[in-house]
Amino acid sequence: MANIYKNAKVDLTATSVTTFYTAPAAKVAIFKSILVSNDSGSDDTITLTLTNGSDVFSIYKTKAITANNTNELLTQPLVINEGEILKLTAATANRLHVVGSFLEIG
């Protein structure tokens, strides 16, 4: 199978846990970038977790995102294995937009 560059996008319109990306069967994803944009005039926070079955691993726990600013969450590539799920939670609804760029291999 071919390696494909992709992106994932989400507008966090609620404060509930939101699935950002799920690695498909027989594939691995290497995230190069996860950008979070705050389009409000108030600071906010975001939580990013990686779920593997019933295990939940915090990548960022209440990461501050300043008002009217964009932050890069990754400083190194993040590997997501088959079946693992990246999830996001915003502290406040309708402020944060997230775009991730990754290579899907499989």
Side-chain angles (χ1 to χ4, degrees), residues 35-56:
L35 295 169
V36 181
S37 175
N38 182 346
D39 65 0
S40 79
S42 301
D43 292 352
D44 212 333
T45 63
I46 192 167
T47 297
L48 175 64
T49 61
L50 178 64
T51 304
N52 181 357
S54 61
D55 296 325
V56 178

